[in-house]
Amino acid sequence: MQDGKINLRSLLPEELAAVLKDMGQPAFRAKQLFSWLSRGAAGFEEMTNLPKALREALAENYCLGAPKVLRKQVSAEDGTVKYLWGLRDGNAVETVVMRYHYGNSVCISTQVGCRQGCAFCASTIGGLVRCLDAGEMLEEVMFSEKESGLKIGHIVLMGIGEPLDNFENVVKFLRLVNHPEGMNIGMRHISLSTCGLTERFSELAGLNLQLTLSVSLHAPDDETRTRIMPANRGRGVAKLMDECEAYFKKTGRRISFEYAMIDGVNDSPEQAALLAKHAARVGAHVNLIPLNHVDESPLRPTPPERIAAFRKALEREGVNVTVRRRLGGDIDASCGQLRKKTADAMRRERS
Ligand code: SAH
């Protein structure tokens, strides 16, 4: 919701139908309107087959998000495309389109900024500005597809923000993007990544969405994890593992652990052994990612040979491990970096 108006793209087709019915409109108008919304119409004036009076009446209570490209970067290395989108209220978020052998995947932001405070992450430096509404998340996918010309088949909620800190809007977005009359992207092609807000896990499991839950673990022990991820405080690794196990049992969906390798912080043999224990208990797949360096942070990535040794130690314990390929390294594709750099540059220009 912005300036008291609801983003029409946050409404499911059946909700749109109810709105139009209340306005005394015939049923076919809802289909016409939904078709405009799905095609990425930027304003009501484009909807030429709707009567002018209806368009004006809609504009009184509703708005459309139509993000503008503030910056676009294309990686020369691997074709990754990164957008900085300008939103209706002047805020900006990042979306990244990645090209894989199985198709194109989009990484979307769920909030403007973030309040989780992870020590290695650029998105959290300025704190949380606001949550995105469901339509704005949908527009990230829709407008990235439209602007890049790349058909999107997969989505990861791994951009700026903490999805479980914007629970209702995120769930609504998932229903919208999955809707057969909409973009129709399968839940099994969607991953939701969280820093571990355990109080939301059972609610999420209860919705029985078939998506993949990714847990940003980054450390297997409380001392280290609380140091680099303040969200661990008051929750703890033991509670997180209990909730992961319960989620897996309830949904039958395998969880993955994200683990950014940080030199001298979370890459010891003891930490590998403890991580292996957690992963085995909850049946998790482990993704090792070399830390992306963020200018404001003293943390450095673990060197490749020690990442390889860490991986071997996990595999010896029977854990499934992938070392993530870094995409878009030449375009600051790691979350939060582009928004932050652009804001810093604008501040410098003004002063
Ligand atoms: N808030 C959610 C989703 C956004 S972050 C979460 O915490 O999962 C997406 C992923 O990028 C997370 O796994 C996060 O820990 C990771 N990440 C953030 N900064 C990073 C960096 N500098 N290098 C590597 N991974 C990073």
Side-chain angles (χ1 to χ4, degrees), residues 84-154:
L84 184 69
W85 293 114
L87 307 176
R88 259 181 100 245
D89 65 353
N91 278 302
V93 290
E94 289 169 43
T95 309
V96 183
V97 182
M98 295 159 293
R99 311 180 70 170
Y100 292 104
H101 61 276
Y102 54 77
N104 302 314
S105 178
V106 68
C107 175
I108 66 158
S109 297
T110 54
Q111 296 180 311
V112 180
C114 184
R115 58 173 162 182
Q116 305 304 324
C118 297
F120 44 81
C121 183
S123 301
T124 201
I125 293 170
L128 175 67
V129 178
R130 70 171 175 87
C131 287
L132 294 185
D133 66 40
E136 288 175 312
M137 291 180 250
L138 184 68
E139 286 153 3
E140 287 183 70
V141 183
M142 192 180 273
F143 283 76
S144 294
E145 183 173 272
K146 200 172 159 186
E147 214 286 333
S148 68
L150 298 168
K151 177 85 190 147
I152 304 292
H154 294 75

Side-chain angles (χ1 to χ4, degrees), residues 120-121 157-159 161-163 193-195 216 218 258 260 291-292 294:
F120 44 81
C121 183
L157 280 67
M158 285 195 184
E162 166 52 44
S193 183
T194 176
C195 64
S216 299
H218 303 317
E258 303 298 310
L291 181 81
N292 261 313
V294 171

Side-chain angles (χ1 to χ4, degrees), residues 67-83:
K68 303 257 174 334
V69 181
L70 296 183
R71 285 187 67 184
K72 175 181 180 180
Q73 294 180 312
V74 182
S75 164
E77 291 170 10
D78 51 42
T80 298
V81 187
K82 179 158 187 164
Y83 292 104

